[in-house]
Amino acid sequence: MKHILILGGTTEGRQLAAALAAEPSVRVTSSLAGRVAEPRLPAGEVRVGGFGGAAGLAAWLREQQVHTLIDATHPFAQVISRNAAEAAAATHTPLLALRRPSWVPVPGDRWHSVDSLAAAAALLPRLGRRALLTTGRLGLSEFAQVSGVHLVARSVEPPEPPLPADLTVLLERGPFTLDGERAVFREHRIDLLVSKDSGGAATAPKLAVARELGLPVVLVRRPDAPTGVQVVTDVSEALGELGLW
């Protein structure tokens, strides 16, 4: 029986785990970081919490006789992706990175692409006065010094200090609908959107609403996958590489 470890927490990770759990020749384990109090659990075995860096992950791969490692974490989870690449190399374990495609601008979009949250924060006062932040609770400290802009931050869990002084927090979990996003923009009088380039359909409606309203969007570019790691863009492609599709 092939043991496949999925570093998950994403929609694609759960979809892949469900497909693999249905295969009688596969033992699938999903690893979740544990940053969300009530995560959506995937099919198959689940472990929660870190491994202790690349060395700890490598030890786990050996102990559990993992056949293939799949990095299906968020596109911005750089540390775990780097640890996965190092652990796979150290143990000679095949590694796939499952990454949903980046968003692509269409006519009507007013995107301002930046390389970091700090760069996004610096740009805000020039573009709007009421910004919807959908960059996650862990990066809010980068916006703590923004002035002249009311920030509406959306996250699954309550954010921790340091926080911007002029801040409204929305505790919500996707996927989000077009009508729901329209209501958020209207209720909070949003004139600027800030997002990471996470890709995927679950959180894309906010981009459509910004386009409808002619609003600027500050989009943080995603980091590249670690050098030498094979990247697949959907579950079907991942299953094909595993010889199961």
Side-chain angles (χ1 to χ4, degrees):
M1 180 175 287
K2 294 180 179 179
H3 187 189
I4 296 177
L5 173 63
I6 300 174
L7 304 177
T10 59
T11 299
E12 293 77 15
R14 290 190 295 273
Q15 293 172 343
L16 181 59
L20 293 176
E23 294 287 337
S25 62
V26 172
R27 172 191 171 194
V28 58
T29 301
S30 294
S31 176
L32 308 181
R35 291 175 177 168
V36 177
E38 297 182 5
R40 295 171 177 169
L41 297 180
E45 300 175 31
V46 179
R47 71 174 302 280
V48 179
F51 291 93
L57 176 55
W60 201 91
L61 295 177
R62 294 189 187 98
E63 292 166 2
Q64 298 296 320
Q65 299 181 337
V66 172
H67 178 274
T68 303
L69 175 61
I70 300 178
D71 175 11
T73 57
H74 192 277
F76 284 80
Q78 290 177 273
V79 174
I80 186 59
S81 293
R82 184 170 59 249
N83 289 345
E86 293 177 8
T91 58
H92 306 288
T93 303
L95 170 64
L96 287 177
L98 175 54
R99 293 284 184 270
R100 66 188 77 142
S102 292
W103 288 316
V104 177
V106 299
D109 283 327
R110 296 175 56 198
W111 289 6
H112 301 260
S113 296
V114 296
D115 290 323
S116 67
L117 291 177
L123 195 56
L124 296 195
R126 288 189 277 157
L127 296 176
R129 288 295 175 263
R130 298 185 63 85
L132 175 62
L133 301 184
T134 60
T135 54
R137 66 185 177 94
L138 298 179
L140 277 182
S141 61
E142 297 286 355
F143 297 87
Q145 303 304 316
V146 171
S147 62
V149 182
H150 177 71
L151 305 175
V152 180
R154 181 163 66 195
S155 64
V156 176
E157 300 281 339
E160 298 178 357
L163 299 175
D166 194 2
L167 175 69
T168 297
V169 176
L170 303 180
L171 297 182
E172 298 177 337
R173 186 199 299 261
F176 300 100
T177 66
L178 196 58
D179 285 341
E181 296 293 60
R182 287 173 177 143
V184 169
F185 276 66
R186 181 172 59 250
E187 178 181 351
H188 296 278
R189 307 191 309 280
I190 299 301
D191 63 6
L192 170 63
L193 172 65
V194 185
S195 177
K196 292 177 178 177
D197 179 17
S198 301
T203 60
K206 62 190 175 187
L207 299 173
V209 174
R211 186 184 313 120
E212 289 177 354
L213 299 175
L215 302 181
V217 176
V218 178
L219 197 65
V220 181
R221 297 183 185 93
R222 64 171 61 178
D224 294 331
T227 303
V229 175
Q230 182 179 358
V231 177
V232 293
T233 58
D234 58 35
V235 171
S236 296
E237 189 177 358
L239 292 172
E241 291 295 332
L242 294 170
L244 297 171
W245 192 270

